[in-house]
Amino acid sequence: MSKRTDTIKSLFTAPQSSALSADNMPAALPRVSSGSVRSLKDSFSEVEKENEELRERIASGAVILEIDPSLVDPSPLADRFRDQDDSSFEALKQSIAQRGQEVPILVREHPEAKGRYQSAYGHRRVRATRELGISVKAILRSLSDEALVVAQGLENAPREDLSFIERASFAMHIEDAGHSRSVVQDALSVDRAEASKLLAVARSVPAEVIQAIGKAPKVGRGRWQSFAELIKDSAALKRVRAAIAEPKFAERETDARFLAAFSAATRPSRGEPSKGSDEKPIFSVSGEKIAHVRQAERELKLTIDKNVSTTFAAFLVDQLPALFDAFSKKSSGQESTEA
């Protein structure tokens, strides 16, 4: 084999004696920390979220405006009571004065008054900005009557400061305005059974009695249902109306006003003629019906409600001697004081 042939063969078979220089190798890609990648991904997600919200706002025709609060009329359906002692409103007003209005209200163009607006929610923010003499921030949307009611309810329903009787009254206002029961359910986020209970109470208690009592935030559905049941008796309702007409009634705090009205419905007034046979329900402190008593001229019959545990009757019988003894001591003390 010739020398030339051996040389050519060695080019393909001989191992490479030295590595390529660093100048001939491709540069390594810089390492990026996983935290930086995650941060960049989150930033893109936030941007996309904001863009999606903007697209939805544009699609729905929503526009954020700063308008004169005197041009904003409330929704035709009231969803909360304006209490005499409205400390929460003063706190809201002070917050807006110090930090500005952080959450806009929702309005539509007034269907009957050109150049004016009608609010779905944010009535207290309108009132606060009006008293402060500043513009109110509002989202303007095209809303039907039904959409206005639903938006109003969905904004306020989850709030803890909206009491049972306020929600009940709002449900009645919705239905009285001609909307279907399903609109009541959607606006208050309740099922049909709960909507029926709200409406039953609102329709059983006269409006002037509800207004006199106020929002009563600590009084739940059970006690309002018990109160509604009690004042089905005309004599009980008459006593309640007499109680709320007293000057001192309005001076009480709203929950105390409910208790005073409930007490008037439960206990007959002095000098009120008793009936030959009078039956009255008895409720627990929480408002659950536990028994009813039928009183005639010479006897009293107590009947435990069927929903109450049978062991309660045995417990009551065991407690009667101690109850009678306590009553006797109290009666003796009153007699000696009067003497």
Side-chain angles (χ1 to χ4, degrees):
M1 186 178 292
S2 66
K3 183 177 180 181
R4 181 172 178 274
T5 303
D6 292 336
T7 301
I8 295 173
K9 184 178 180 181
S10 67
L11 292 175
F12 295 94
T13 59
Q16 192 170 340
S17 59
S18 61
L20 293 173
S21 69
D23 293 337
N24 294 329
M25 294 184 68
L29 293 173
R31 293 180 60 84
V32 180
S33 68
S34 60
S36 299
V37 174
R38 191 181 305 111
S39 177
L40 188 61
K41 182 179 179 182
D42 291 343
S43 297
F44 279 121
S45 297
E46 283 298 318
V47 170
E48 179 58 29
K49 181 180 178 181
E50 291 177 3
N51 288 341
E52 181 61 28
E53 290 177 353
L54 182 60
R55 284 193 292 269
E56 290 178 358
R57 184 170 293 171
I58 293 173
S60 64
V63 181
I64 298 180
L65 304 173
E66 290 196 6
I67 56 182
D68 184 346
S70 65
L71 297 176
V72 181
D73 295 322
S75 164
L77 305 179
D79 58 359
R80 62 170 64 247
F81 301 161
R82 183 171 174 176
D83 201 81
Q84 295 175 344
D85 181 21
D86 200 350
S87 58
S88 62
F89 169 74
E90 291 302 325
L92 172 65
K93 181 179 173 181
Q94 184 177 1
S95 173
I96 292 176
Q98 293 175 349
R99 297 191 294 271
Q101 181 190 345
E102 298 176 346
V103 181
I105 66 171
L106 177 64
V107 299
R108 68 173 179 177
E109 293 182 351
H110 200 293
E112 298 175 357
K114 188 175 181 180
R116 298 189 65 81
Y117 303 90
Q118 201 171 60
S119 61
Y121 55 76
H123 310 320
R124 297 198 307 164
R125 277 164 275 173
V126 173
R127 178 184 162 198
T129 52
R130 185 185 296 123
E131 293 184 8
L132 291 169
I134 60 176
S135 298
V136 62
K137 294 178 182 178
I139 295 175
L140 176 63
R141 283 191 179 143
S142 177
L143 298 170
S144 65
D145 290 346
E146 182 175 311
L148 179 79
V149 170
V150 172
Q152 181 178 352
L154 292 178
E155 165 71 9
N156 286 321
R159 297 178 62 158
E160 295 181 357
D161 63 342
L162 201 64
S163 68
F164 171 83
I165 196 60
E166 285 180 305
R167 298 174 74 238
S169 297
F170 183 41
M172 183 176 67
H173 292 156
I174 294 172
E175 196 168 71
D176 287 348
H179 298 291
S180 65
R181 184 67 59 87
S182 62
V183 175
V184 175
Q185 294 172 227
D186 291 341
L188 291 169
S189 299
V190 295
D191 58 23
R192 191 171 185 84
E194 181 65 18
S196 297
K197 292 172 184 176
L198 288 165
L199 289 163
V201 170
R203 297 199 183 283
S204 297
V205 183
E208 73 272 15
V209 174
I210 292 176
Q211 291 169 4
I213 292 172
K215 64 189 298 182
K218 296 179 182 178
V219 181
R221 183 183 70 192
R223 301 200 76 183
W224 273 107
Q225 286 178 315
S226 300
F227 182 65
E229 187 70 23
L230 284 168
I231 61 175
K232 286 181 179 179
D233 177 61
S234 58
L237 180 57
K238 184 178 180 180
R239 294 194 298 271
V240 169
R241 285 184 166 137
I244 65 177
E246 294 178 0
K248 291 185 178 180
F249 183 86
E251 297 174 4
R252 296 184 175 99
E253 181 265 336
T254 176
D255 287 307
R257 292 199 294 267
F258 174 85
L259 292 177
F262 191 93
S263 178
T266 305
R267 291 195 293 270
S269 304
R270 289 184 178 180
E272 183 177 307
S274 59
K275 299 177 183 178
S277 179
D278 192 12
E279 181 173 326
K280 293 182 180 179
I282 298 176
F283 301 95
S284 66
V285 175
S286 63
E288 179 186 5
K289 184 179 178 183
I290 56 177
H292 68 267
V293 60
R294 181 184 294 273
Q295 186 172 5
E297 292 185 0
R298 294 189 177 184
E299 67 175 7
L300 183 144
K301 183 178 181 181
L302 178 70
T303 305
I304 306 298
D305 194 83
K306 62 181 180 181
N307 295 322
V308 177
S309 173
T310 55
T311 56
F312 174 70
F315 171 80
L316 182 60
V317 171
D318 290 340
Q319 294 297 315
L320 278 176
L323 290 172
F324 182 79
D325 186 55
F327 169 76
S328 299
K329 289 179 180 178
K330 183 178 179 180
S331 298
S332 300
Q334 289 179 344
E335 289 174 2
S336 60
T337 302
E338 292 174 357

